[in-house]
Amino acid sequence: MKVLVVGRGGREHAIVRQFSKSASVETVYAAPGNDGMRLESELVSIDEMDFAALADFAKEQGVDCTFVGPEQPLTEGIVDFFESKGLRAFGPSKAAAQIEGSKTFAKELMEKYHIPTAAYETFSEISPAVDFIRQKGAPIVIKADGLAAGKGVVVAKTEEDAIAAVQDMLGDRMYGKSGSNIVIEEFLDGEEFSFMSFVYKGAIYPMVISQDHKRAYDGDRGPNTGGMGAYSPVPQISREIIDNTLNTIVKPAVEAMAAEGTPFNGILYAGVILTPEGPKVIEFNARFGDPETQVVLPRMKSDFGKFMNALLEGNSYELEWNDQAVLGVVIAAEGYPNQPLKGQVLPNLAGLSEVDIFHSGTKATSEGFVANGGRVLFISSDGATVEEAQKKLYAQINSLSWSGFMYRTDIGWRALG
Ligand code: AMP
Ligand code: GLY
């Protein structure tokens, strides 16, 4: 098989690496990819959003399957475009990607099909939103309706913070068009986990679960980010809760999308909080999580290429996972998420042993790799337990000097408590 991976982040690096390990994959192309992927793929300098050039490339090279990483091309219809050219692309249609692209769409779907989620209201005007906040009290959660790179969510501890967030989104249009509607929802308290599944024509293959760390700083403080670290498995979430999530959230969501005439194919990501009343959805994504993918795919025991081929051909497949724990941390540029520093040189990564390194915001220069984005690297270790993986990882990372970079030092803390 020849595969084309669309995207340029750490998530796409993990997808590229998993395909490159497959006995049935002959060539992996990455468009546009990043310099850190060169050993495992052929970089193609076409932007994620240039659908016509991507499709032409796939056709010319005889690509068997295009795997789309990020949300933006999906919500703008890359899969529909490829299919209209007779090409196979794995991911949701534009209509189905709304499950991520519009919080309102997702909320209405869950309400209609009784999929457990936080109670909510939608607003486009400031004053009724403020009245609602006054009536409900804090803590309360304010979300921009559209895509905001994981940053359009404010978990407000006080009514004043909530009102300020409404003002930012609806008054000052901090998130542009994505914030012209907002969702205000009930605060859910509990353990959070990411439940991702491969979905194709009604078949669902759940992955092992993982836990992300969304806040920028240690102790889960600071602003929300795209994710600062992750680990898998999540030992504090039982097998029973995982099965319950599959049966009350994932399967009903896949059935609901089909019933609505927008069948979902691709990676369905359920962000879940285990509340005292059971698991509830905080968000759906229409793609792999970043950085969850970097800790989940390495646990796949099956051959990724063979599995994908079976999935797309409609053949059943026994998808197997290993029992190892994997834990990793994002190395971000100093100043992330607001004003990440650019251009500083990374320490020599050859000094690290027994870790996996995934590149996201890096660029190769004559001085070595330099920072070229907010989240720069993802570095992970495995171990028999989460604790062992954490110890191994930080012993390695702390052995280098990271001037101009920042990373959390407590990834996995909830599993160790
Ligand atoms: P989202 O972009 O929807 O995943 O939200 C970012 C983060 O905000 C989540 O990972 C949660 O930690 C938190 N969050 C979102 N919605 C809620 C909620 N209803 N209750 C509590 N925390 C939430
Ligand atoms: N790590 C969360 C996300 O990918 O949305």
Side-chain angles (χ1 to χ4, degrees):
M1 267 210 301
K2 286 184 177 181
V3 297
L4 167 63
V5 177
V6 175
R8 63 178 83 195
R11 160 185 55 209
E12 287 77 22
H13 195 172
I15 299 168
V16 159
R17 181 166 299 162
Q18 205 65 25
F19 274 129
S20 76
K21 287 195 253 178
S22 166
S24 58
V25 174
E26 169 197 323
T27 315
V28 184
Y29 299 105
N34 67 50
D35 286 337
M37 299 180 191
R38 281 187 197 281
L39 292 176
E40 296 136 310
S41 61
E42 284 183 36
L43 301 191
V44 182
S45 80
I46 304 176
D47 190 82
E48 297 90 328
M49 298 307 295
D50 192 347
F51 300 171
L54 289 170
D56 284 347
F57 177 84
K59 202 154 238 175
E60 279 157 23
Q61 301 300 323
V63 167
D64 300 284
C65 176
T66 297
F67 198 111
V68 185
E71 58 272 25
Q72 204 196 349
L74 293 168
T75 54
E76 295 193 21
I78 189 170
V79 171
D80 312 64
F81 186 84
F82 267 61
E83 286 177 354
S84 75
K85 304 275 175 204
L87 292 162
R88 198 158 75 168
F90 187 67
S93 66
K94 180 175 180 164
Q98 283 186 92
I99 198 166
E100 167 166 9
S102 166
K103 304 258 185 216
T104 315
F105 175 91
K107 281 297 202 181
E108 284 169 0
L109 185 87
M110 288 187 270
E111 188 166 48
K112 182 166 171 191
Y113 292 90
H114 311 291
I115 296 168
T117 187
Y120 76 104
E121 294 269 345
T122 311
F123 298 93
S124 56
E125 304 281 341
I126 295 177
S127 129
V130 170
D131 291 346
F132 183 74
I133 290 166
R134 292 280 183 222
Q135 181 199 331
K136 293 283 170 188
I140 195 159
V141 182
I142 321 292
K143 300 184 173 186
D145 181 61
L147 294 179
K151 294 165 202 144
V153 174
V154 175
V155 179
K157 293 215 169 62
T158 63
E159 291 179 23
E160 281 57 48
D161 288 353
I163 291 165
V166 167
Q167 187 66 42
D168 285 346
M169 290 183 201
L170 290 180
D172 302 339
R173 288 295 165 88
M174 204 170 184
Y175 301 101
K177 214 166 48 145
S178 289
S180 56
N181 284 301
I182 60 171
V183 167
I184 302 188
E185 69 179 28
E186 165 199 15
F187 173 78
L188 300 177
D189 202 10
E191 193 78 36
E192 197 171 331
F193 59 100
S194 305
F195 189 124
M196 305 189 287
S197 307
F198 295 93
V199 180
Y200 195 70
K201 301 207 168 145
I204 302 174
Y205 288 87
M207 297 183 220
V208 288
I209 65 165
S210 55
Q211 187 174 68
D212 187 12
H213 298 60
K214 294 255 168 70
R215 300 299 194 100
Y217 315 130
D218 280 3
D220 290 334
R221 280 192 284 265
N224 261 314
T225 69
M228 297 301 289
Y231 63 98
S232 173
V234 188
Q236 60 279 35
I237 301 293
S238 67
R239 181 78 247 167
E240 190 189 348
I241 295 296
I242 295 172
D243 291 342
N244 181 307
T245 305
L246 178 64
N247 291 320
T248 63
I249 293 174
V250 180
K251 282 183 182 164
V254 171
E255 283 161 16
M257 291 295 279
E260 289 294 299
T262 51
F264 188 95
N265 297 315
I267 306 294
L268 183 64
Y269 168 128
V272 180
I273 288 189
L274 177 57
T275 73
E277 291 139 46
K280 293 191 182 180
V281 176
I282 46 172
E283 65 168 342
F284 281 118
N285 289 323
R287 47 153 181 95
F288 265 126
D290 191 343
E292 290 95 326
T293 307
Q294 294 89 309
V295 296
V296 166
L297 278 186
R299 294 192 56 208
M300 189 185 279
K301 208 152 95 183
S302 308
D303 180 303
F304 189 35
K306 284 191 183 148
F307 165 66
M308 281 304 299
N309 203 46
L311 183 67
L312 293 166
E313 296 292 328
N315 300 328
S316 69
Y317 194 93
E318 198 179 329
L319 183 58
E320 292 186 295
W321 303 89
N322 68 43
D323 292 330
Q324 289 273 304
V326 180
L327 181 142
V329 64
V330 168
I331 307 288
E334 206 174 286
Y336 179 74
N338 298 326
Q339 281 184 309
L341 207 65
K342 255 193 181 176
Q344 66 278 34
V345 183
L346 280 163
N348 185 359
L349 303 172
L352 298 175
S353 64
E354 288 190 61
V355 295
D356 277 324
I357 301 176
F358 302 92
H359 288 244
S360 41
T362 64
K363 199 165 84 179
T365 70
S366 54
E367 293 172 90
F369 281 110
V370 303
N372 188 41
R375 294 193 289 180
V376 178
L377 293 175
F378 185 85
I379 307 182
S380 61
S381 263
D382 59 16
T385 61
V386 173
E387 190 171 10
E388 188 187 311
Q390 188 201 50
K391 278 210 179 98
K392 273 171 69 182
L393 174 74
Y394 282 116
Q396 287 297 310
I397 293 188
N398 294 338
S399 70
L400 297 181
S401 151
W402 295 97
S403 148
F405 297 91
M406 57 175 267
Y407 59 89
R408 280 184 59 163
T409 64
D410 63 349
I411 300 304
W413 70 273
R414 284 173 167 278
L416 308 179

